[in-house]
Amino acid sequence: MTYVSSDRASGPTRRTALAGLVGGAGAVLAAGCTPSGAAPANAPTPSRTASAPASAGGPTPGVMTLFKDPAFNFNGLLALGGSGYGAGEVGEVLTAVNAINKAGLSAQTYTETFKKLGDQLMEAPQGSKPGTETTRFRALRAAQYYGQALFFVLGSDDPGSEEQLYKAGRGAWDKFCELCDPAPVTAKVPYGKTPLPVWFFRPADSGGRRPTVILTNGSDGQNVDMWTYGVSAALERGWNALVYDGPGQGQLLFVDRVVFTPRWETVVTPLVDWLATRSDVDTGKIALTGLSMAGNLAPRAAAFENRIAALVAMPGTLSPWLGFPPELREILTPDKEETNNIWNKEVVPELPPSAAATMKKRIEPFSVPAMLDAREGKMFTDFYTPARLIASLDITDVVGRIKMPTLVLDYDYEQFYPGQPRQMFDKLTAPKDYVKLTTATGAQLHCSPMAPQQHCEVVFDWLQEKLSGS
């Protein structure tokens, strides 16, 4: 926690810095393009690595520009990248992009356009009666497009439709799953007062015990993202894959109103318990992956759950709080009243609408009151409580407890957690590998939005190697 006294950052100075920082649709907060820090000069050479120097042509060389605003552009690239696994269609995405740009880019036009696309896909196409596979993959793409709309709905004219929009995307995902062959096993795994919904995918030939990967989503991903970043790749290799909503995610956030916990082992351990009861799971070959902010959650769980045979952090993240700009972190003081006075009197009045919407989105997984205020078009007034929760996710002091082989991914031009993957790698004492996905193959930026197939190749080749002898 960083505290800056009022003498050093008072009045207009603080307001000016914050207003300038988070302006422009929250580029820094949401999906800014900040070059990652260089590795320390004395950093050990990892056992495997891939790297390429960045071009001098700009902060994100090689990135396709769909929208001038980097937050919208990043999300659009995720939709486009999902096309490789059927979770998007190039023509549909680019047509939507053109429509949004023609209407004028905003949270409203983005939400409207992608929701409409999702609605269209959940209806029968014109012409002959659609077959099962057509209906299935139209539902998968609809889940993607509803997820795109959901991400920006709090900045639209109808923020109160957030839960309804989530349910539309969930309905599309469930329709897709229902039509899979075999359909994933669904269950509710005990977790406190609110069970965890799970989807357990198996290959068509499901005889015998198989390696299984538990796929952990980040702070604002949807189930469809787990299809793109693991389920499809696992099934292609004859593996099982478990998708779940944890606290702060999916159903638990938008419907059950349960926020993130810093003790993610209490989430993963019940999942492992559930898997251990199944006759088609090789309990000696259970892997755990964490995408985006789950590059913090999954390592935390693995530090305390020794039945995990291999761990992948995508990217390695020691402290999600450091993913927020320093000027924002400095608002948090040891005193709740002082912190909230700064927030409400000095910061909120200076936030442009786009930045205010971004803040609402970034904070909602950590505060139910903030989420409910946002749905009413209001800014939350308690910054202190969610900020403290985010700060408590720091795992710097527990990384040394991890014992299983660990792969740490990093990305050229990592926007959210620059430098943190290398720092995690350095702190690990377990068998470890470090891979940097790069501009040279179009795999730059947080989670390689343009190259999820490359991403999965790296992850699953490594997992196969590590678990083959388990």
Side-chain angles (χ1 to χ4, degrees), residues 63 101 176 197 209 343 347 350 368 382 391 412 428 430 467:
V63 168
N101 283 326
F176 166 75
R209 296 184 181 274
W343 172 250
V347 179
E350 300 294 329
V368 170
D382 180 9
D412 271 351
L428 283 165
L467 295 185

Side-chain angles (χ1 to χ4, degrees), residues 153-190:
V153 70
L154 293 182
S156 75
D157 295 342
D158 189 15
S161 66
E162 183 181 49
E163 183 175 338
Q164 179 184 359
L165 190 50
Y166 162 73
K167 288 180 176 178
R170 170 65 180 272
W173 168 255
D174 286 341
K175 170 60 70 174
F176 166 75
C177 291
E178 173 190 323
L179 297 176
C180 286
D181 186 17
V185 174
T186 58
K188 294 182 178 180
V189 173

Side-chain angles (χ1 to χ4, degrees), residues 298-312:
R300 165 72 198 202
F304 296 92
E305 175 48 76
N306 59 19
R307 291 174 293 176
I308 300 299
L311 168 69
V312 186

Side-chain angles (χ1 to χ4, degrees), residues 150-290:
L150 179 66
F151 190 87
F152 291 103
V153 70
L154 293 182
S156 75
D157 295 342
D158 189 15
S161 66
E162 183 181 49
E163 183 175 338
Q164 179 184 359
L165 190 50
Y166 162 73
K167 288 180 176 178
R170 170 65 180 272
W173 168 255
D174 286 341
K175 170 60 70 174
F176 166 75
C177 291
E178 173 190 323
L179 297 176
C180 286
D181 186 17
V185 174
T186 58
K188 294 182 178 180
V189 173
Y191 172 77
K193 297 180 180 179
T194 309
L196 309 173
V198 302
W199 296 262
F200 179 73
F201 290 84
R202 307 148 294 160
D205 177 13
S206 57
R209 296 184 181 274
R210 297 178 179 273
T212 300
V213 58
I214 301 172
L215 302 165
T216 308
N217 222 328
S219 65
D220 46 41
Q222 301 304 314
N223 299 129
V224 64
D225 298 321
M226 294 296 89
W227 176 264
T228 301
Y229 283 91
V231 176
S232 183
L235 295 176
E236 288 166 358
R237 290 160 175 80
W239 287 35
N240 304 319
L242 184 72
V243 175
Y244 68 100
D245 286 342
Q249 302 172 323
Q251 178 181 312
L252 266 73
L253 173 65
F254 294 113
V255 180
D256 299 329
R257 301 179 182 179
V258 180
V259 298
F260 274 113
T261 174
R263 299 181 61 228
W264 206 255
E265 66 276 14
T266 64
V267 180
V268 169
T269 288
L271 299 176
V272 178
D273 290 342
W274 186 83
L275 289 172
T277 67
R278 297 192 57 84
S279 61
D280 50 1
V281 172
D282 184 339
T283 56
K285 297 182 178 181
I286 297 176
L288 176 65
T289 69

Side-chain angles (χ1 to χ4, degrees), residues 47 51 103 131 134 146 148 247 265 269 278 341 373 409 450 460:
S47 54
S51 62
T134 295
Y146 283 132
Q148 289 290 321
E265 66 276 14
T269 288
R278 297 192 57 84
N341 278 337
D373 281 344
L409 290 192
M450 298 186 296
F460 281 89

Side-chain angles (χ1 to χ4, degrees), residues 324-338:
F324 287 79
E327 291 88 345
L328 195 65
R329 286 185 272 122
E330 288 170 354
I331 298 170
L332 181 60
T333 79
D335 181 80
K336 181 176 182 179
E337 183 178 3
E338 179 182 7

